[in-house]
Amino acid sequence: MEVYQQQRDNEYDATGSIWVRDKVRDDPTDSPCCSCIEPSASFTFKASYTSNSMTILNTTFRFFHSHLQMSNGNITAPNGDMASDTQANGLSADDFALYDRQIRLWGAKAQEQIRNANVLLVSLRALGTEIAKNLTLAGIRSLTIIDDEPVVEEDLGACYFLRDADVGKPRAEAAMPRIQDLNPRVTVASGGGLAELMTKDQNYYAAYSVIVACDHDFTTLNVINTGARVAQKPFYAASSYGMYGFVFADLVSHEYVIEREQSNMPTTIKAESLTRSVTSTSSKKEPTGKTTEIVQKREIYCPLLLANSSPLPKDILSNRRKLKAVPALLPCIRALFDFQRTFARLPDHTPQDAASFISLAKNKAGELQLPPDTLTGDFIKSFMQNIGAEIITTAAFVGGRLSEDVLNVLGQREQPIQNFALFDFETLVSPIYCLYSPPPELVMPTLNGHVGLLNGLDTVPVPVAEGVVPAAEVLELE
């Protein structure tokens, strides 16, 4: 296949990870030609990737398309042992042939969990289009799309699943057939419109494995987040504003596994931060003679409503260099949320709206205790000019990063986003900040220096990190 004819060293993919190819392979049934290096919590994009993003995405598409063609031809698994392992995990031989590279990357168990996932996607604009493509190709069970807005001509330049003949049709229904063509094994359906979704309770959200809402106002995101949280389901919110974007994650309480080569210092069961703790450790011997350590961790989250007013972490507030590195994008996004709550619309290019937005942005920068020179007139002007714009490259990066996190969460592998990721394509940086405040249902002090999650969200006590203020004190509870 064409993808195996190209040598790409240290190449960024659409999710921000680095794929290191060891050599060119002509045989698609050969051992994997790449390994994924875990992305750091804050990483810098290379400009060379941005200019070639569509080439890489098209190469990825050709790879999956070739696998789809292979799966229709009764291809048997190249490795009998792995085929048996996947079938034992609930995956068929056809699943193995179709998702071979993914299984080699993160294992049969994770792929089975992905294969059983039902995802609710709210909005199918440029960002939602990228997420729908990524998750469908990854092989989830079903994708339900909430978007009955009529297709307009502007959508044709942002959503490559739409055609001229689709203008006037409901957006989700018009795009469904072409999304389905990406992977016939995934059930793609329309879930109606946003107005209907706003009337649903937690029982509706309980049917889904993950809920993703894109490009909506703050109030709408909060309503969806609340329903998902009461149903104890992972929730993601994301938006792209021209050259800028963000991803927010509320996974309620999420456990995941990290496998790494065992070091001389054993990992201890303890709280690593206010939100993250190590819950168990084990090890296994590899055929190479090395010992792999398996560390299980838990992350706890707060809803968007609290994250939007939470302070920056103490390690940033106490470090002048880190505080100076916080981008102006953060207070501007918070200002946009407040503007939408106040005026129920996006700001226009008028002196009145500009004055209101600048005032809000300055207030948010003050609340975050950012240096006075963080927020500049040039950045505010650039941000406001980008509001409402959809740029495919930005949507590809933001959607790719969100999709990667969704797949990791479904497979319960690797560190998830905690909890606010920013994307600034003018400075080519993407920091992640833990903007956390304990939600009301969380943390009541119990015996032995532990805290537990209430209302059935969690029954396993989480060790309290040294120096962490108990949530009961934060909430002024007795």
Side-chain angles (χ1 to χ4, degrees), residues 182-430:
L182 292 178
N183 192 342
R185 292 174 176 271
V186 178
T187 301
V188 182
S190 172
L194 182 63
E196 183 181 356
L197 179 66
M198 293 296 97
T199 65
K200 302 293 187 181
D201 60 13
Q202 67 270 21
N203 295 322
Y204 176 83
Y205 295 100
Y208 297 97
S209 308
V210 177
I211 294 91
V212 181
C214 305
D215 299 315
H216 286 293
D217 64 89
F218 185 75
T219 301
T220 300
L221 293 176
N222 274 321
V223 172
I224 301 172
N225 188 184
T226 301
R229 189 173 183 85
V230 173
Q232 301 178 40
K233 296 297 181 178
F235 167 80
Y236 287 87
S239 289
S240 63
Y241 313 107
M243 296 292 290
Y244 309 100
F246 78 88
V247 171
F248 167 78
D250 175 14
L251 309 183
V252 189
S253 177
H254 175 67
E255 292 192 351
Y256 59 97
V257 172
I258 293 177
E259 295 187 10
R260 58 197 179 197
E261 186 175 348
Q262 193 168 40
S263 65
N264 296 329
M265 295 291 293
T267 301
T268 58
I269 298 176
K270 65 176 183 179
E272 295 182 327
S273 69
L274 179 62
T275 62
R276 184 173 63 253
S277 59
V278 178
T279 59
S280 68
T281 62
S282 60
S283 61
K284 64 179 180 180
K285 202 74 172 179
E286 301 291 350
T288 59
K290 294 182 178 180
T291 301
T292 298
E293 184 181 36
I294 303 172
V295 182
Q296 184 166 339
K297 298 185 178 184
R298 179 188 291 116
E299 284 275 3
I300 55 175
Y301 289 77
C302 68
L304 179 61
L305 184 64
L306 290 180
N308 186 50
S309 58
S310 297
L312 288 164
K314 289 183 179 179
D315 66 305
I316 294 179
L317 292 175
S318 60
N319 188 306
R320 188 174 181 181
R321 179 182 59 83
K322 290 182 179 180
L323 191 61
K324 190 175 181 64
V326 176
L329 179 59
L330 180 56
C332 281
I333 288 178
R334 286 189 169 186
L336 180 61
F337 286 162
D338 274 16
F339 189 97
Q340 289 177 303
R341 282 194 292 184
T342 303
F343 299 101
R345 60 178 176 83
L346 294 173
D348 293 326
H349 300 295
T350 63
Q352 295 79 9
D353 281 4
S356 297
F357 185 84
I358 291 172
S359 176
L360 289 171
K362 288 182 177 179
N363 288 338
K364 296 303 177 182
E367 291 175 3
L368 291 166
Q369 302 181 43
L370 298 179
D373 58 348
T374 298
L375 203 61
T376 65
D378 288 343
F379 183 86
I380 293 178
K381 180 180 179 181
S382 175
F383 182 78
M384 293 192 67
Q385 289 174 338
N386 276 270
I387 293 176
E390 294 185 288
I391 297 177
I392 299 298
T393 308
T394 305
F397 261 104
V398 178
R401 184 66 182 91
L402 187 152
S403 301
E404 177 192 42
D405 208 66
V406 168
L407 295 176
N408 283 337
V409 167
L410 291 174
Q412 294 184 294
R413 298 178 63 85
E414 307 305 332
Q415 167 74 42
I417 291 174
Q418 175 65 273
N419 55 357
F420 219 99
L422 303 175
F423 299 84
D424 184 342
F425 284 88
E426 288 193 329
T427 57
L428 299 177
V429 296
S430 176

Side-chain angles (χ1 to χ4, degrees), residues 451-466:
V451 293
L453 308 187
L454 304 181
N455 297 339
L457 292 179
D458 197 349
T459 58
V460 181
V462 182
V464 179
E466 183 178 355

